[in-house]
Amino acid sequence: DIQMTQSPSFLSASVGDRVTINCKASQNINRYLNWYQQELGEAPTLLIYNANSVQTGIPSRFSGSGSGTDFTLTISSLQPEDVATYFCLHHNSWPYTFGAGTKLELK
Amino acid sequence: QVQLKETGPGLVQPTQTLSITCTVSGFSLTSHYIQWVRQSPGKGLEWMGFIRSGGSTEYNSEFKSRLSISRDTSKNQVFLKMNSLKTEDTGVYYCVRTSFDYWGQGVMVTVSS
């Protein structure tokens, strides 16, 4: 199985900060990597699919990059409504696996 | 618009069978896969399996011996059944469309006597 190592587990940042979250795959997953935002008690919301494509309706401050084994989610200017937990998911081959999550808080 | 909604029992006793229904609207089950994902305190998010648009299935080996996914296209419904439940199966179960783009609201299942 492909393991997804997500870092950091916790992140505290200020409004306006540039925030980056990383996921590393244990083997090549090409660009088959999605990023999600999950607010407390809600279902995950798709932000980025196939590593760098922004889902319709998602603010432009969210972007994704990477291919192969190393991927990054970037929030260019953190907003208060971005406080949430963020997950990555690989869908290169089954079993698909998720990162453990990054909890993002305001400083 | 695209919607998925899970309905399930809430509380299930250990060793019993879990049955959850996912009812979809805004798209056709004959054109899209339906994935099942579980979120638990102990293991986080786990992919359980899917049913293809043609009706065949694939399962995560972690669940394979206990899990069954089926559907009724005339009712726009997909069914998850998992037997021999353990307390560790407690969590929120989600049905998700094809490429993990649209998710249901999830249904909380507690396995407890």
Side-chain angles (χ1 to χ4, degrees), chain B residues 23-40:
Chain B
T23 303
V24 310
S25 58
F27 66 97
S28 172
L29 293 178
T30 58
S31 300
H32 288 272
Y33 293 22
I34 295 295
Q35 316 267 3
W36 287 94
V37 173
R38 182 175 77 183
Q39 187 168 30
S40 64

Side-chain angles (χ1 to χ4, degrees), chain A residues 1 34 36 38 41-46 49 55 87-91 94-100, chain B residues 33 35 37 39 45-47 50 52 58-62 94 96 99-106:
Chain A
D1 298 1
N34 293 356
Y36 295 88
Q38 187 176 31
E42 301 292 323
T45 298
L46 177 64
Y49 62 95
Q55 177 71 343
F87 296 96
C88 62
L89 161 69
H90 97 77
H91 54 103
W94 59 82
Y96 308 135
T97 53
F98 293 82
Chain B
Y33 293 22
Q35 316 267 3
V37 173
Q39 187 168 30
L45 288 158
E46 298 175 280
W47 172 75
F50 62 68
R52 293 183 177 90
E58 295 292 342
Y59 300 116
N60 188 332
S61 59
E62 290 286 317
Y94 295 99
V96 190
S99 299
F100 298 92
D101 51 0
Y102 289 90
W103 293 56
Q105 65 190 17

Side-chain angles (χ1 to χ4, degrees), chain B residues 18 22 27 44 61 65 68 79 81 98-99 103 109 113:
Chain B
L18 171 65
C22 173
F27 66 97
S61 59
S65 62
S68 173
F79 310 106
K81 291 188 188 300
T98 310
S99 299
W103 293 56
V109 175
S113 54

Side-chain angles (χ1 to χ4, degrees), chain B residues 12 28 59 72 84 105 110:
Chain B
V12 183
S28 172
Y59 300 116
D72 183 338
S84 305
Q105 65 190 17
T110 302

Side-chain angles (χ1 to χ4, degrees), chain B residues 52-90:
Chain B
R52 293 183 177 90
S53 53
S56 60
T57 55
E58 295 292 342
Y59 300 116
N60 188 332
S61 59
E62 290 286 317
F63 304 97
K64 191 169 187 176
S65 62
R66 303 192 290 142
L67 180 63
S68 173
I69 300 172
S70 60
R71 68 182 186 178
D72 183 338
T73 55
S74 68
K75 295 183 178 179
N76 293 321
Q77 292 180 327
V78 177
F79 310 106
L80 177 148
K81 291 188 188 300
M82 189 162 69
N83 58 32
S84 305
L85 286 187
K86 301 168 272 191
T87 56
E88 306 92 272
D89 293 315
T90 292

Side-chain angles (χ1 to χ4, degrees), chain A:
Chain A
D1 298 1
I2 297 173
Q3 306 304 314
M4 302 302 299
T5 302
Q6 187 171 342
S7 62
S9 300
F10 299 95
L11 183 54
S12 182
S14 300
V15 172
D17 281 355
R18 182 180 181 87
V19 169
T20 60
I21 298 169
N22 300 295
C23 266
K24 186 174 184 67
S26 59
Q27 56 187 274
N28 181 18
I29 59 169
N30 301 292
R31 290 184 177 272
Y32 294 109
L33 189 285
N34 293 356
W35 288 99
Y36 295 88
Q37 177 191 69
Q38 187 176 31
E39 298 181 8
L40 197 62
E42 301 292 323
T45 298
L46 177 64
L47 300 173
I48 306 291
Y49 62 95
N50 295 342
N52 61 6
S53 296
V54 182
Q55 177 71 343
T56 302
I58 299 302
S60 59
R61 62 181 180 275
F62 291 94
S63 64
S65 63
S67 65
T69 60
D70 293 286
F71 301 86
T72 300
L73 172 70
T74 300
I75 308 173
S76 60
S77 178
L78 186 67
Q79 300 301 303
E81 60 266 32
D82 299 336
V83 169
T85 299
Y86 293 82
F87 296 96
C88 62
L89 161 69
H90 97 77
H91 54 103
N92 181 73
S93 57
W94 59 82
Y96 308 135
T97 53
F98 293 82
T102 296
K103 188 173 183 179
L104 177 57
E105 299 177 340
L106 280 180
K107 193 178 292 184

